[in-house]
Structure formats: structure tokens, C-alpha cells
Amino acid sequence: MAGTGTGTGTGFIVDQFPPSRRFNESYSERRVKRVQCLQRPPAFNPLHVNPRLSLFSPARCPHGVGDGGSGFHRKKNNAWEQYTSMLGVPVPEAPFLKLYNCISSSVCRSRHRPHVKTSTPRVFSDKSSFYLSKPRLYNTFVKPLHIPCANLGPDEPHAASTAWPDGIIEKQDFDLLYPGVETELEVFLSSELPPHPKLYRGQLKNGLRYLILPNKVPPNRFEAHMEVHVGSIDEEDDEQGIAHMIEHVAFLGSKKREKLLGTGARSNAYTDFHHTVFHIHAPTSTKDSDGDLLPYVLDALNEIAFHPKFLASRVEKERRAILSELQMMNTIDYRVDCQLLQHLHSENKLSKRFPIGLEEQIKKWDVDKIKKFHERWYFPGNATLYIVGDIDNISKTIYQIEAVFEQTGIEAEAVPAPTPSAFGAMANFLVPKLSVGLTGGLSNERSSNSVEQCKIFKKERHAIRPPVKHNWSLPGNSRDQKPPQIFQHELIQNFSFNMFCKIPVNKVLTYGDLRNVLMKRIFLSALHFRINTRYKSSNPPFTSIELDHSDSGREGCTVTTLTVTAEPKNWQSAIKVAVQEVRRLKEFGVTKGELTRYMDALLKDSEHLAAMIDNVSSVDNLDFIMESDALGHTVMDQRQGHESLVAVSGTVTLEEVNSVGAKVLEFVSDFGKPTAPLPAAIVACVPKKVHVDGKGETEFTISPIEITAAIKSGLEEPIECEPELEVPKELVSSSQLQDLRSERRPSFVPLSPETNVQKVHDKETGITQCRLSNGIPVNYKISKSEARGGVMRLIVGGGRAVENSESKGAVVVGVRTLSEGGRVGSFSREQVELFCVNHLINCSLESTEEFISMEFRFTLRDNGMRAAFQLLHMVLEHSVWLDDAFDRARQLYMSYYRSIPKSLERSTAHKLMLAMLDGDERFVEPTPKSLQNLTLQTVKDAVMNQFAGNNMEVSIIGDFSEEDIESCILDYLGTVRATRSSGREHDYNPILFRPSPSDLQSQQVFLKDTDERACAYIAGPAPNRWGFTVDGKDLFESIRHSSSDDAQPKTQELMMEGNNSGKDLQGKLHGHPLFFGITMGLLAEIINSRLFTTVRDSLGLTYDVSFELNLFDRLNLGWYVISVTSTPGKVQKAVDACKNVLRGLHSNKISQRELDRAKRTLLMRHEAEIKSNAYWLGLLAHLQASSVPRKDISCIKDLTLLYEAASVEEIYLAYEQLKVDEDSLYSCIGIAGAQADDGVTATLVEDGSDEGFPGVVPVGRGLSTMTRPTT
């Protein structure tokens, strides 16, 4: 599988295992995360805060190609995604993390998803505790830190090439500002940044380097990653893909790794351009083990990396798997990515060495060929071991590393020392020094690591990684400008334009380097709001505009990318606008107000991150260190990062920000001038045919000359400077609030008529439940896990289920309309978004099949929580519905509908869903006919009728006080107008599975494509999470014992029973309200394991197969889906094999060992997430919902107990509720290739008949460049 680099860069990654599919996500989440079609999200509005504006977390979101995006992912985008702050320090929760070597400004007219879930990392704050205009240098930099910590030198084998060509110097123009003498400022800015105080580096005498970082999150677990510095870039012409092959064979062929499977450890591997990584996440010890688990993990990594068994049988098995993987990943998204990389790096091997390799070569290699490549590159001196986790004794850890690895790779006789060109500046690295604050009493002069005792190897590694040369985009370069390149394909839906600039990486080593990054980030962040302010029309010419400036360790360069996506008919205007706005920013710069706003936000954000220093997960820390080392940046922790940022912030001037930022934009703004940097590449990805109203599908034509002309038209357009915007300090004034309190008299009322208790607090979980006088139920939990941060979610029951035959699509289009408009009360969309920016509020809005939700992330600094509550109040009380926003939302879904036949996975899954759910349009995208029938009033009524007090529930988790949270609840939720639900959100047209048997139970879809691929989906009915079925049956009636004492037990009863008898406990669990949710989850883990073992590993029919459950809470139904990819020739066999596994649980009984492994997996996930505020939002969902009567506090308190107590017999009780017989099961096979079969070709049916493709629940892999999947 391919993916982007860890943290940054375009570098592709080939993964050992594919990411699991999540059919248990909501309809909207599935659509967005898997396929991402026609990405026109809420434009500039507060309900879709654009993450790319966050200086600390500029999210990189892919551009869907089927939907018209480029598909070029300069950032990885999956469950393992690493986010780090701009300061180069990781932060605790994924949505808040990104690297300081990325600078991005997205100016999306719409971000990228047709659904409205646009939860993003965060936005900026208006004020800071650090006043910017007056800090004095000697006050902000009083204690230079001298930590005896070794850091990578510039010529480390895995550091990016950062040398500028002769005569080119990158430095601050100090002489212009401070002429004459070396100023105090120059001295400060040239000072080195402090290295991480707890990061220990060392090297064994065989050359293996290791890094150790103690980290307590999650507790009692650690990460061990073995990075071998070899990848596809090291392959010869006849070895393309062999590094990936070795990764597969070595990893899956390891017996020592297999022995870890029962310990609660998880493992995986991936290959990219210049390294192969094997990683294991494991507990520090197990119940069955007296000692540490680390030595066993290290032993497994030693075997995998340096002593693999290249058995012929394993090689053949993995050859089949890789060939299947190659077809699976060869989506249009991946092909577009390859095209962009080929043009960006046309002068070097990066354009020719994609890690997946070439099919014809993969089929030929024998064991000897594979062994020779391994012998050439896989040795300790060419590897780095990273250990991050709950480690207390560094000395013991080093001893364990030495015991396992020290003798590996040692030559029998001494050999000459390598030349400097081979090892560069390695001397400083060979003698690691103990960091301050570490335990263990280690000497700084460890004999095993001394230079004198190191044995040097005959094998040499490249001094620079990756070992390629680039043609830099520098002023005055004599190269002729390459004409724009065009990639045209029938599966591309919309137009995308990419303009690249490529320069050497500037390492962030000094305060001056950090200051330079800060100024670029401030400058580019303004671009988003410029577009926001200037383009308010209902029909903007672009879908999105993004400017990304990122370092890539995998590519060994810094790439600036201007990406424009648009409807094909608007492509010229879209390019013109993008170039015009880049020119405006370059010519006039940022304003004083923008400088103050973004700088203040950075300081507040960095202070927040520093406060969360003890909540960063081990894997986030580890990924950050690996990427920083690859780039040669100084690694700092969050506290150091904040102190460093404060130190440089007071030295920044408006003139320097505009001067430094302007240089980044010159390749666009000065295009065509002799002094301008030449773009590294200009690439347009376009469809072959487009839909024209009244004409249908017509040919799309475009030429390089026309693209160049569009760029020049933007350069000639007159421009004016940007006016300052007035940003509201509050959305609800003190006087307005006082009037509301007097009029509506908010108060807490008893939770139920039977009791007089106004608040119920559970000490064990920390959850408080209360209810307001207007009927709104509220749950809150005080949590210190994320210092000074909080999250809030509003859930409104109903969702798309309430749509009827006259209002198909009304809810999903209505929610999108509300988000597109972004106005509340008298405040414009721009004012509301900047209000969010100034208070670090991040808001998302989405609709699902069973509810509408709004989610807020906020900081508690400077009244951030109160500001978030004000925004929620205004949405509930004073939301504004605009005709132009409705037009945009409807057009978005129209285009999304038309893009579906261009995706094999979506076409196939859509056909299956319509067949299984009897053509119910509420579970797919609305058809053009349905969309045309909608009006603004229709969609407004469909949404707002659900917003009734007793139909809403608000949950809040954060580091607040009881007094503060209850004040906000009363002031802003309690003053919402009291409305009672009409009950319509529960009175919806029944949802039915198609009566069986049916001739639609086995179907096919054929997609015309230049390359062959195949996928299939198998699905069937399941109950909902609480034991109700679509026909109204209550499954608890069928499993409940006859005795009266078998009623639903509460936590205390369960614990008492658990202490007395495990058998009795299990019997009681049959009546627990969460019984089916728990047992179904365990069953899914077991089935997934069997599918992989049988269909993938034993039969070799697929690379990627998964089983997923979608269990609803409010709707009385659920379903399961098996997703499998294969080749056209094997896909039917793969489907049959999947069915056999699914139905074979009776003939091949579930073992206790399988169940124990499933329990460990789910409990491990629970334990890893329990400190996350976002995870608690999920636990609290529906706690007081009348439509989910079975959920109560015991469902949260008993979670771990239920997992531990579940028995094999209870898993079979759950299995019996899945309908897997031939009459109930539905399947659909999708095949892509050049030979069309008219009988099954994917086509559009505009009238919305069942056989059309009116939007499909996107399933399957989704984007091709996902990295490091969970397995």
C-alpha cells in the first residue's frame, strides 16, 4: 500500500497491513474517511473551522481525485497520523498534532467533504498571557540550556540533504535592520535551540544506533521501532519492489514475532523511499510473565530485521499478497499521486522507485535474489532502534539492547575505517552522553560505545538520505521552464492544478531558524482569510485553494505547493483567482491586525501544548523524533518549544514577516519573470468527460498553453491591499445575557418526576448528569488529562431517518446549508470564524442516519469555554439560513452523486446497500431528482424541527471547575428557548431489509478502467447495540433467564458476583444492557482474525479483508459487512472463502485462546483511549437520551468488567443474531478493467431508481496513500 511520509512529505509508504474499514461509523463519517468525494466543505464559516490555519497543527487533508482533488497527499492521513506543534514538539491528541516543518494555508471555498463533519485540529486565539510588543531580549532568553545530549549531525545517513548550491546562502538580512556591528539580537538568534532533556542516544560497537525516551502515556506500555535505512530508492533497475518484498517476508515469517501475539502486543511494518520500519507496541510485562517483555520484543525485532528465514513457501505466499496489494492500491487517487511525484522529481530516482514495485519483476525474483538485497543493506550499522514508553531504568534498557543486538553483524576481523564521505560527521555521534535527569547512574563514557572500541564495517550506508540530487527552484536558474503537464483519465471527476517549488531543507537548529519558520507560518496563515473575505458569492470559481510549504525527509527537500481544485467548467477562473490572491499577499503583505492575531494565537496554543507535556502518547513522541532526525531538526519537548517561541516572538517585526513570507510565494507571484524561481513542475489532473446540464457527458479539452495563459491572467489582474476586519470579542454581550436570564430564568430541574434530585454525580467515573428547565439534558465530566482543554458535543435525535418520500436528502443538505452559510445573528460568516480563531475554538457539524451533532474543541484560557458556549447558544437561537448557501450545498451533492460511478469501491458498495435496504435513499446520497425537489424552507424545517429541548443532549469534558461549567450551562444552554419535541424525530418511516430470497442478493458492477482491479462486499442484517432488531424483536427476551433476579444488574452487583463466582457473573451479564455491544465487538475481532488467517494468509486470495459491524443506537437495526479486495480472476473465490469463514464458526469452534486475544485487543484500545476527552464524548453519548432507554451509567462503569467476563458461550449467543444464511446475505462484486460488460457497467440513473448510483456509503480502503494502518 502507498502512503505519504511520516508527518510530512510526499514520500510513499508501502504498508505491511491495510487499514481496517469502519462500517460501524456513521454514514457521513464513512463517506468522508473512506472516499472523500467532491470536496466542497463548509466554506469560510465557524461551523467548519479550517485546520490548515492553525500554526501549531496545519492539518493536511487529501484532495479526493474521484471528486476532483489532486489526490496528492503531502501528509499522511490515517489513524496513526502524527500531529506535532509548529515548535517541533509532539502534542497529546491526534487532532492537535503536526510538525513545525510544515507550513500550510488552505483557502478552501470548501474543504473536502460533502458531509458536514469537519472536525479539525484547532484555530487561533486572540489574546495571550505573553504580551508581544514589549519583551526584552535579555528577559526572554536568560537561561541558555546546555544539555549533554547527542544530536544528529548534518551528514547522518537518515538526514535529508540540506546543502544549498554554491553561492546560495539562507540567512536573515540583519545588516539591513541592524547595520554596523553584530547585535545582541544576532547573537541570540544564532544560539542553538535546546535539545530534548530526556532523550537518550547511544550506539553499539556494531554500529546500531538507539534512542530511548521514557514516556508514561499510555502507562505500562512501550513502542519499539526498528528503522532500517533502506528503501525503494536503493533498488537497482531489476529490483523494483524488493525492499517491500523483504519487509513482508521478514515480518510475517518471524516465529518470535508470532509468540508475542498472545501478550497484548501489536506489530506492523512499512516501507517507503528510503527506510523500512518494523514496529511493535507492547505491554511492559504480562500476567503470565515474571519479567519484562522488552527483551522478547527486541529479540523479535532482531530476528525480523537481521536474521529472517527466507523460506520459499513464505516468499511465494507474500508474492501473492503483494500482487493483490498492488491491484488493490491502484486506485485513481494513487495513480494521480504517482503522476505528481513523477513530474515533481523527474530528474532523480524518486520518480521511478515507488515502493510497491513493478508487477513483472515481483513475479520473477527467487529466494537468492531477495537474500542478496538483504545481505547488502540489512545490517546493524544501517539501522536505528527507537524505544519510547513507560521505562524507568535506562541502564537496564541499554543492557537489554546490548544483550540482544551486540553480537549481530560483528565481522570476524578488523577492517579499515570508512572514508568521511561514507559516514560524514559521525564522530560526534559515536560517544553518546547521558541526558540530564535520567535515572540509572550511567557513565558518559560507556566502553561499549567508545570510538576506540567500535568495530567498523565493510558495508557502508549512504551519507545522505535519500541519496538523490534535485534541480532546485532557485532564482536565476538557467534551466528552461517545463511546460505544464496534463494527466487526463476517465475516472477523474473534477479539475485539479498543482504548482510546485522545490528548495533544500533548512534545518531548525537555532532560535533564528525557529523565528524564520514562525514568520512564514504567520504570513501564509493569512491566505485563508483573504479568500474568505473576498469571495462571498454563491458561485465561487473554485472548490478549494491550498498553499502548502513543507519539509520532506523522505524526499530530501522542502516543497511549496499551490493546489487549486474546481469544477471543470470553472478551471480557468479558479487558477486566476488563486494566482491573484497569492500576488495580493506577496505584494501587500499581512496587516498589523493579522500579525497580532496569529502571533497571539501561537503563544496561547504553545502554552496550552506545554501544559499537556505529560499527555503525549509514546507513538506520537516516537514518530516526531523519527521525522525530526530525518530532517536534521533539533528535537525539543513541549515546554522547551513554548519557551523558545516566547523568546523569539518579541523579535518579530511586520516588515520581516512580509519579507520572509514573500520569498515563499515568488514562484507563483513572479511567474515568468527572469528573476523568479522556476516551478519544479506544473501538473493538471483532469477528467476526460464532464457533465453539462442539458447535454449530458461531453469531452473535456485542455492544453498546456491554456494553463499557462490562465496563470498569466491572474498575474495581470489589478489588486488592492487587504482591509482590516472587525472581530467581535463576544457573540452574546453581558447586557443581552442579563436580559435572557431575567426573561427565561434558567435552572436545573429534577432528572425524573419520580425523584427530586437535580444532579446525579458518579464518583467512580466522575460523570455528573443534570437537566435544565428548558428540557435539555446535560452530562459533564471534569478531567485533568488534557490540561486547560475541553470538548463539547450536542446530539440531536432524528438525523436522516426522519426524511420522508417528500423530503429525501433534506436533512443532509440542510445541515450542509447551515454549515455553508456560517452566519449567526447579525454576525457575518467571516466575523464568526475569526471569533473562533481568536478563542481557539474548533467546531464541526454533521448529520448521520440517526442524529445531528455539533462538536466543539476549546481551550479554557481567556474565556475560551464561555466563547464556545456562546457560539452554541447562537446556533440554537439565531442561526441564519441563506439561499446562496443552500444552492452551494445542493450543487455539492449533485456533483457528488455524479462522481460515484467513477469509483469501483463506491459503486459496488452502493449497489449492495440499495439491495439490502430495499432501495432506502436515507442510507445513500440523495439523487438529482430528490435534490431538485428540495427548497430552502424544506431543508430548514427538516433540520430545525429536530432541535427541541427534550430531543437534545449536551456532553462536556474538560479541565474546568464545577462552578465554571455550571455557570456556562445555565447562562448559554439554560437560556435557549424552551421547545418540546413533536415526536417526529422518533416517528419515521420504517427501515426494512429487502424481503428474501431476492434476485438482487448477488450482484456485480463493472467499471471501465485502463487497469484491472476487483473488490467485493458481503453484508447482512444484525441487531442494534441494545438488542433490538428491525422487526421489533427484543433479543434480551430470548436469552434472559426465567428467574426474577436475572434483571439488569448494576455495577456493585456485578462486582460482588465477580468476587463470588465467575460463572455466576457471566450468567448475570446476559441481562446487562450492553451485552450485545460487548459480545458483538469481541465477535468482530475473532472473525477478522480468521478472515486474515484463512483468506489472506492460507489461501492467498487477497491482501486486504475485514469484517465490520454497524450497530445503531437509536434505530432498531444494524448490519455487518465483509470487505475484500482481489484480482478479477480470484475475487469470486475470495467471496466464497469469506462466506465460508463467516458461516464456519459452528464447525470450527471459537477457542478460549481466540477470545482471550480479542479481549486483550479491545481492552488495550480502551485503556489507551481512556484519557482522551474525545473518547469520553463517545462514552457519554445518549446517556440521557429517551430513545436509548437502556443506556445508563452502568454501561460506562461496567465496560472493562464486561469484556473480561464474556465467555465463548456468550459470543455464540451474539453470533446467532447475525443472519448469515444464503437467503439473508447480500454480496456485490466490483470489477474494473478495459473490457466493459454492458450488463453490469456502473451508470448513472438521474431519476433515482434503485439501480442507479445516487451516492453510496463509501467503503473499502478509500484513499490509497494511507500510512501505517492499525491491524
Side-chain angles (χ1 to χ4, degrees), residues 54 182 365 483 492 543 579 619 650 683-684 896 899 979 1089 1097 1222:
S54 170
E182 184 179 37
W365 301 319
I492 294 177
T543 300
V579 173
V619 70
V683 187
Y896 183 64
S899 73
T979 55
S1089 179
D1097 211 32
E1222 198 61 44

Side-chain angles (χ1 to χ4, degrees), residues 941-985:
D941 291 343
V943 172
M944 298 311 295
N945 285 342
Q946 299 181 39
F947 280 75
N950 60 334
N951 189 47
M952 298 190 289
E953 180 186 55
V954 177
S955 298
I956 315 105
I957 300 97
D959 185 15
F960 39 68
S961 67
E962 180 179 357
E963 179 183 1
D964 287 343
I965 187 62
E966 293 191 358
S967 172
C968 286
I969 291 170
L970 288 170
D971 285 350
Y972 301 109
L973 290 180
T975 55
V976 170
R977 185 178 294 104
T979 55
R980 299 296 297 176
S981 169
S982 65
R984 290 182 58 190
E985 68 279 355

Side-chain angles (χ1 to χ4, degrees), residues 63 388 444 514 557 578 588 624 673-674 727 736 800 873 1014 1049 1202:
H63 313 288
V388 180
N444 287 347
L514 180 62
C557 58
F588 297 107
F624 164 70
K673 294 181 180 179
V727 183
Q736 289 173 323
R800 291 203 66 188
H873 175 92
L1202 286 169

Side-chain angles (χ1 to χ4, degrees), residues 1114-1175:
R1114 295 172 181 255
L1115 302 178
N1116 290 340
L1117 81 156
W1119 60 71
Y1120 64 84
V1121 177
I1122 296 176
S1123 311
V1124 61
T1125 62
S1126 191
T1127 64
K1130 293 181 179 180
V1131 66
Q1132 185 61 59
K1133 291 181 180 178
V1135 168
D1136 293 339
C1138 290
K1139 291 180 180 179
N1140 290 337
V1141 170
L1142 182 61
R1143 294 170 178 159
L1145 265 65
H1146 281 304
S1147 57
N1148 183 12
K1149 294 292 184 182
I1150 297 172
S1151 67
Q1152 187 62 45
R1153 185 168 178 267
E1154 286 180 290
L1155 177 57
D1156 290 342
R1157 183 179 298 176
K1159 288 180 181 180
R1160 279 191 295 268
T1161 300
L1162 295 183
L1163 283 171
M1164 180 177 62
R1165 292 175 189 167
H1166 175 68
E1167 292 166 1
E1169 296 288 344
I1170 199 66
K1171 287 191 174 183
S1172 162
N1173 287 347
Y1175 184 70

Side-chain angles (χ1 to χ4, degrees), residues 62 127 140 144 211 218 329 389 420 527 648 673 693 788 836 880 912 950 1122 1224 1238 1270:
K127 302 198 178 197
T140 56
L211 293 87
M329 66 181 287
L527 201 53
V648 301
K673 294 181 180 179
D693 292 337
R788 304 298 291 158
C836 292
V880 178
L912 177 138
N950 60 334
I1122 296 176
S1224 301
D1238 294 336
T1270 47

